[in-house]
């Protein structure tokens, strides 16, 4: 991007009101936010663009797999011109939810998972042919909030270490989501880095950071509880395992992989088991391991082109949630972003009529740091003390 800055909801809406500031109009607006943020912006934008003959095409969706809060998250995104579904399965589910509540489902547009790519896995070569790729590499893709309990995370680390001991000729990598204190969508209370400091790890087990795609370039076996890294690996045809050691449970997210053929336990892996993915399941997940990924977004591009070319411009945004359909829910969502029930800024909204000054920016950063410290450091101690 030529520029990047953080703004409040009210500041964002003011920036989108291009006529007020003489800006060139935008063609496409992507709302890459959590559901409540999307809903608030849809109502705020509807107000900002009232009476306007032309407006941007509004696009939203999900970054990865949708395995929880399906109806809640979808209805909060309703009202955008395109709601991207990352797989055939998601597209079917999204339309079912919208049609089931009597909402327009025409915005649902099937694409594929947006973060796939990389060189396909060349296959397991014998020892004489592996010198170019290095030793056989097993990667465990950690997640910041799955599982949550300390004993379960310690168990997974212990099993990873045991696998490294059982196979000293292999390189075993613990791929971490983020460094301690780094901002992520899901805050990690018990980083594996801390657990590893108290454990004598085998010499062939290392902790690694960085881009998942680069790690997959040298991966021969990807192991995880339910990370979307499993789908990245399946896209490349890397042997992939979704662990059943802690059960197959919705709270873990690995229930999404029922029917994939990838479910297995550490005991099975230690004994040499390699799951074979179910081709039909993979095809429904937006993985595009068949080579069709290059054309997976053509439909979305075509729809955006049609909307931009529509004579007379686009109709007003029409979210499903309104003060009439959700009077006990919508006002609270909008108020969290300092917007009233009609999408107008509430009195006293921070920085509603001016750019934030240096002091305000410093206060924001300090508040975010304090909040993150409280969640990652203070809250776990309180829960342990109170046995919560």
């Amino acid at each position: 991007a030529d520029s990047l800055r953080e703004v409040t909801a009210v500041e964002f809406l003011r920036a989108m009101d291009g006529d007020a500031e003489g800006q060139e109009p935008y063609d496409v607006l992507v709302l890459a936010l959590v559901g409540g943020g999307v809903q608030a912006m849809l109502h705020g934008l509807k107000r900002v663009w009232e009476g306007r003959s032309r407006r941007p095409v509004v696009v939203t969706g999900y970054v990865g797999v949708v395995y929880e809060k399906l109806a809640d998250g979808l209805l909060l995104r309703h009202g955008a011109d395109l709601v991207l579904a990352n797989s055939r399965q998601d597209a079917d589910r999204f339309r079912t939810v919208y049609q089931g509540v009597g909402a327009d489902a025409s915005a649902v547009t099937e694409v594929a998972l947006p973060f796939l790519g990389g060189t396909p896995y060349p296959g397991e070569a014998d020892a004489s042919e592996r010198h170019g790729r290095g030793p056989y590499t097993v990667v465990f893709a950690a997640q910041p909030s799955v599982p949550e309990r300390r004993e379960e995370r310690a168990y997974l680390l212990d099993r990873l270490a045991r696998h490294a001991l059982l196979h000293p000729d292999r390189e075993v990598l613990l791929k971490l989501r983020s460094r301690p204190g780094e901002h992520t969508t899901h805050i990690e209370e018990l980083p594996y880095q801390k657990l590893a400091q108290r454990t004598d790890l085998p010499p062939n087990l290392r902790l690694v950071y960085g881009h998942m795609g680069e790690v997959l370039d040298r991966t021969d076996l990807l192991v995880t509880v339910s990370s979307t890294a499993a789908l990245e690996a399946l896209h490349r045809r890397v042997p992939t395992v979704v662990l059943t050691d802690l059960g197959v449970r919705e709270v873990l997210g690995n229930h999404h992989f029922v029917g994939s053929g990838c479910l297995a336990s550490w005991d099975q892996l230690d004994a040499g088991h390699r799951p074979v993915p179910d081709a039909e399941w993979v095809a429904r997940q937006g993985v595009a391991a068949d080579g069709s990924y290059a054309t997976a977004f053509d439909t979305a591009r075509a729809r955006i082109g049609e909307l931009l070319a529509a004579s007379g411009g686009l109709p007003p945004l029409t979210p499903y949630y309104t003060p009439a359909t959700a009077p006990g829910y919508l006002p609270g969502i909008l108020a969290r972003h300092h917007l009233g029930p009609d999408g107008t800024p509430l009195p006293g909204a921070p920085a509603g009529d001016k750019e934030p000054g240096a002091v305000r920016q410093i206060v924001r950063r300090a508040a975010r740091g304090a909040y993150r410290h409280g969640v990652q450091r203070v809250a776990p101690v309180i829960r342990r003390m109170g046995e919560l």
Side-chain angles (χ1 to χ4, degrees), residues 136 138 155-170 172 204 221 223 241 243 245 264-275:
Y136 187 94
V138 178
Y155 166 83
L156 293 175
L157 180 60
D158 176 67
R159 291 306 303 257
L160 190 65
R162 285 166 58 182
H163 186 82
L165 288 171
L166 284 171
H167 301 277
D169 57 326
R170 295 181 176 181
V172 180
N204 60 328
L221 176 65
V223 183
V241 171
L243 291 172
D245 290 56
S265 69
W266 270 119
D267 282 351
Q268 292 173 291
L269 297 183
D270 290 343
H273 174 64
R274 293 293 174 273

Side-chain angles (χ1 to χ4, degrees), residues 119 175 233:
T119 305
K175 169 61 176 70

Side-chain angles (χ1 to χ4, degrees), residues 147-386:
E148 287 187 332
R149 295 169 54 203
R150 174 184 291 272
E151 54 267 35
E152 291 178 336
R153 295 171 81 84
Y155 166 83
L156 293 175
L157 180 60
D158 176 67
R159 291 306 303 257
L160 190 65
R162 285 166 58 182
H163 186 82
L165 288 171
L166 284 171
H167 301 277
D169 57 326
R170 295 181 176 181
E171 184 176 24
V172 180
L173 305 178
L174 172 54
K175 169 61 176 70
L176 298 162
R177 177 75 172 267
S178 60
R179 299 180 186 276
E182 183 179 339
H183 178 68
T184 59
T185 303
H186 302 282
I187 296 176
E188 189 167 16
E189 289 188 2
L190 295 169
Y192 282 98
Q193 300 95 310
K194 285 192 172 182
L195 296 175
Q197 289 174 356
R198 307 173 187 177
T199 306
D200 186 16
L201 300 179
N204 60 328
L205 170 56
R206 295 191 298 113
L207 279 61
V208 296
Y209 300 91
H211 192 273
M212 190 70 219
E214 295 175 358
V215 176
L216 284 175
D217 286 340
R218 51 178 168 150
T219 300
D220 295 284
L221 176 65
L222 189 284
V223 183
T224 186
V225 175
S226 62
S227 172
T228 50
L231 298 171
E232 293 184 67
L234 287 170
H235 176 71
R236 295 193 186 199
R237 300 187 182 276
V238 175
T240 302
V241 171
V242 175
L243 291 172
T244 62
D245 290 56
L246 303 177
V248 179
R249 299 182 286 154
E250 282 80 359
V251 70
L252 296 177
N254 56 358
H255 70 291
H256 177 82
F257 293 89
V258 169
S260 68
C262 297
L263 296 168
S265 69
W266 270 119
D267 282 351
Q268 292 173 291
L269 297 183
D270 290 343
H273 174 64
R274 293 293 174 273
V276 177
D278 181 85
E280 182 177 348
W281 185 92
V282 170
R284 285 185 55 81
Q285 302 308 311
V287 171
D290 60 354
S292 62
Y293 194 65
T295 60
F297 297 85
D298 287 357
T299 300
R301 293 190 186 100
R303 291 200 62 180
I304 290 173
E306 292 169 2
L307 292 170
L308 287 173
S311 60
L314 298 172
L317 298 173
T318 55
Y320 169 74
Y321 284 139
T322 67
T325 59
Y329 185 44
L330 179 63
I333 293 173
L334 299 179
R336 282 198 292 272
H337 297 271
H338 302 283
L339 299 177
D342 61 349
T344 59
L346 292 171
D353 56 355
K354 61 182 179 179
E355 294 295 329
V359 174
R360 177 64 182 168
Q361 294 180 34
I362 292 172
V363 170
R364 279 187 194 170
R365 288 195 294 269
R368 284 197 300 270
Y371 174 79
R372 197 170 301 130
H373 177 78
V375 172
Q376 293 180 320
R377 303 288 187 270
V378 180
V381 173
I382 293 174
R383 278 198 288 272
R384 287 196 296 271
M385 293 175 62

Side-chain angles (χ1 to χ4, degrees), residues 60-67 70 74 83-96 107-116 228 231 256-257 279-289 292-293 296-297 299-300:
T60 191
Y62 296 85
V63 174
V65 173
V66 183
Y67 65 85
L70 174 64
L74 269 178
V83 178
L84 301 182
N86 295 332
S87 66
R88 192 189 323 156
Q89 174 173 288
D90 277 358
D92 292 343
R93 294 193 300 162
F94 290 6
R95 294 188 184 102
T96 298
V108 175
T109 306
E110 181 183 339
V111 288
L113 287 164
F115 46 75
L116 303 181
T228 50
L231 298 171
H256 177 82
F257 293 89
E280 182 177 348
W281 185 92
V282 170
R284 285 185 55 81
Q285 302 308 311
V287 171
S292 62
Y293 194 65
F297 297 85
T299 300

